Amino acid sequence: MSRVLSGIQPSGDLHLGNYLGAIHNWVSDQDAHDAYYCIVDLHALTLDIDPNELRARTHDSALDLLAAGLDPERCTLFVQSHVVEHTQMAWLLECTATMGELRRMTQFKDKSAGQDSVRVGLFTYPVLQAADIVLYDAERVPVGDDQRQHLELAREVAGRFNHRFGEILVVPEAAVPAAGARVMDLQHPERKMSKSVSSPLGTVLMLDSPEEITRKVKKAVTDTDNEVRYDPESKPGLANVIELLAVATQRTTDDVANSYERYGDLKVDCAEALVELLRPIRTRRAELAADPGAVPALLARGAHKATEVASATYARAAQAVGLLGRS
Ligand code: TRP
């Protein structure tokens, strides 16, 4: 089985875009691959985040991912900071990557633009990400389109490391899902659904109640020509509703579009499909949350499994660069 690894920031409530765009795929990858999923709390330190808030969000992210269907029997779910090799490996890779290539990262440029003081961690963020990946000999890295450049950098740095020190690291490949899993804001269908930018009404949270989901879908912005047709260019709002219903019921967008005459009927069915899609997640979340010891125990197990792999890779890399092993 090939190894996959992906990471998610503990950034709070997951929304439908996170679920359909990423986590849904993580869940299905569990059986076909040897899957490692990492909650990247160290990466979250590059933001201004309250310590108690970070701790709570890291725990709750695990709860959300487990509720969404990650199964500790079938994958390794762990917290990045629980495996100390991440920062150790990041240092070896920082001594491989260059300022020039990090300066070209568009995410760094966006996040640092206009700031008069920029943290070093924000600059080296993609190197830590490369370390996350190579520690697990990951061949495939399922990520969103916005992470393509970071993956290119990871490939580049891993390749350079190998060129210099021998075939030590597996050079990873990005696995970006085909279009279709792009969930747009229900109020502003020209932009991606996002927790930070969207209006509350435009974002369906994974844990929204059935009533909230229904209200948001019914209020989704469409258009006034009253013709049901899948046309993301000129009818982005309607196309988004069609896509959501299609993904939730595993049908094609054409099939969905051809089954409706009226926007209202389409919205009612879309809301219902989303309610049913998310219902088991809410139920499972509540069950898991009822036992406060459950998540810490599962994460401890994940950290143990992850450490076995990561420590072997790090030892190999440390030996290769010439660090004197401790006996
Ligand atoms: N930077 C990624 C994001 O913001 C999160 C991440 C950290 C990640 N480490 C990773 C993704 C390793 C894939 C593999 O989405």
Side-chain angles (χ1 to χ4, degrees):
M1 275 206 292
S2 74
R3 182 74 58 75
V4 307
L5 173 132
S6 198
I8 188 168
Q9 289 224 23
S11 49
D13 299 341
L14 294 174
H15 56 70
L16 206 52
N18 305 127
Y19 179 66
L20 292 176
I23 293 154
H24 192 64
N25 297 328
W26 291 12
V27 173
S28 41
D29 273 345
Q30 291 180 110
D31 293 316
H33 301 279
D34 185 14
Y36 284 70
Y37 298 122
C38 181
I39 300 170
V40 295
D41 56 346
L42 297 172
H43 278 109
L45 292 175
T46 60
L47 308 166
D48 262 311
I49 177 163
D50 172 77
N52 290 321
E53 177 94 19
L54 175 60
R55 221 178 332 266
R57 282 190 189 178
T58 303
H59 173 274
D60 290 353
S61 291
L63 205 51
D64 290 344
L65 293 169
L66 292 162
L70 292 190
D71 175 359
E73 297 295 329
R74 292 184 291 149
C75 74
T76 306
L77 173 66
F78 66 101
V79 173
Q80 186 184 32
S81 68
H82 290 178
V83 181
V84 295
E85 284 80 3
H86 287 251
T87 44
Q88 296 182 309
M89 190 71 213
W91 179 253
L92 301 191
L93 298 184
E94 276 177 38
C95 295
T96 307
T98 68
M99 299 279 284
E101 62 194 353
L102 293 184
R103 238 186 251 118
R104 283 196 292 278
M105 294 292 115
T106 53
Q107 186 173 304
F108 173 72
K109 287 196 268 187
D110 291 347
K111 291 199 172 173
S112 60
Q115 311 277 350
D116 41 33
S117 162
V118 176
R119 297 188 191 150
V120 177
L122 192 64
F123 189 60
T124 57
Y125 178 114
V127 183
L128 179 59
Q129 181 166 350
D132 298 342
I133 297 165
V134 298
L135 275 178
Y136 299 91
D137 294 334
E139 291 142 88
R140 277 178 71 249
V141 184
V143 281
D145 199 45
D146 64 328
Q147 294 297 313
R148 264 184 209 281
Q149 200 187 26
H150 286 166
L151 258 291
E152 259 324 297
L153 178 88
R155 287 173 60 79
E156 188 67 30
V157 172
R160 191 177 309 143
F161 188 97
N162 286 347
H163 185 72
R164 193 155 160 220
F165 300 112
E167 291 302 310
I168 305 291
L169 306 177
V170 173
V171 178
E173 223 160 281
V176 178
R182 249 164 61 95
V183 178
M184 310 308 278
D185 186 304
L186 294 175
Q187 290 296 313
H188 299 277
E190 67 290 345
R191 63 187 191 210
K192 269 184 25 175
M193 191 178 280
S194 135
K195 218 189 77 173
S196 48
V197 207
S198 302
S199 53
L201 208 53
T203 309
V204 175
L205 299 180
M206 199 175 76
L207 299 172
D208 270 347
S209 69
E211 296 71 33
E212 285 164 320
I213 297 170
T214 306
R215 187 171 69 96
K216 290 174 181 176
V217 174
K218 285 197 174 154
K219 292 201 177 211
V221 166
T222 50
D223 53 68
T224 53
D225 75 12
N226 280 319
E227 189 198 343
V228 178
R229 182 158 56 80
Y230 179 69
D231 182 350
E233 281 292 310
S234 53
K235 296 161 76 71
L238 193 74
N240 193 31
V241 178
I242 293 173
E243 259 178 63
L244 286 173
L245 178 51
V247 177
T249 54
Q250 298 181 319
R251 291 160 71 191
T252 65
T253 47
D254 284 342
D255 183 26
V256 169
N258 291 334
S259 320
Y260 293 90
E261 308 250 308
R262 296 214 307 254
Y263 289 12
D265 297 337
L266 173 67
K267 283 183 170 181
V268 168
D269 285 3
C270 179
E272 222 165 83
L274 293 178
V275 166
E276 291 317 315
L277 180 77
L278 299 177
R279 190 190 299 283
I281 300 179
R282 282 189 98 208
T283 308
R284 193 159 155 64
R285 174 86 163 53
E287 284 165 10
L288 279 163
D291 175 5
V295 167
L298 291 172
L299 289 178
R301 220 174 104 200
H304 184 78
K305 271 175 75 188
T307 299
E308 273 176 24
V309 180
S311 61
T313 310
Y314 177 72
R316 208 164 74 219
Q319 152 79 23
V321 302
L323 301 183
L324 177 63
R326 198 183 79 176
S327 50

